[in-house]
Amino acid sequence: MLTAEQIVAAQKANIETLFGLTQKAFEGVEKLVELNVQATKAALSESANSAQALLSVKDAQELLTLQASLMQPLAEKTVAYSRHLYDIASGTGAEFGKAAEAQAADAQKKFMAVVDNAAKNAPAGSETAVAVMKSAVSAANNAMESVQKAVKQATEMAETNFNTVTAQAVTATKAAAKKR
């Protein structure tokens, strides 16, 4: 069946995959930290500018105008921040998905090799059992492919919904700012 070299090679491949996924996870965290640092710097700068503008207000009408002018950029920046967060999360998730698909494909290939090897060495008269086993493996592979397709479709639908909600939020904010 399996030789020591095959087991060592499989363990080595698994460790390389683990380190690759760990690297991708750290890259995602690094992007998230960078985004938050940029957002914090921008928020501090804008807060200082807003405070200066508020201190220079002379009457209530000017205060309302200033308040309205500050709200639309804030909403747009919040949407942009959310979009960046979503992009980071979906990019990192896609990397993990690719790795999982590659591992599953490799495992399927190795399992089919074991089944084929067992079929070649099976005693006479066991052809029916071998055929049933191959059929079961094929059905499992088809089921896994269907699940992977469904996950991809759900992900695409979620991204479409996110984009729609984002666009509606920006439009609503602009409309509300114009009414003021």
Side-chain angles (χ1 to χ4, degrees), residues 133-154:
M133 187 166 187
K134 282 186 175 184
S135 177
V137 169
S138 178
N141 288 343
N142 289 339
M144 187 184 314
E145 288 175 9
S146 295
V147 168
Q148 288 173 343
K149 287 179 185 176
V151 167
K152 284 181 183 179
Q153 288 175 344

Side-chain angles (χ1 to χ4, degrees), residues 36-54:
N36 285 332
V37 167
Q38 289 174 352
T40 302
K41 283 181 181 179
L44 286 172
S45 174
E46 290 167 12
S47 292
N49 292 340
S50 297
Q52 289 296 326
L54 284 170

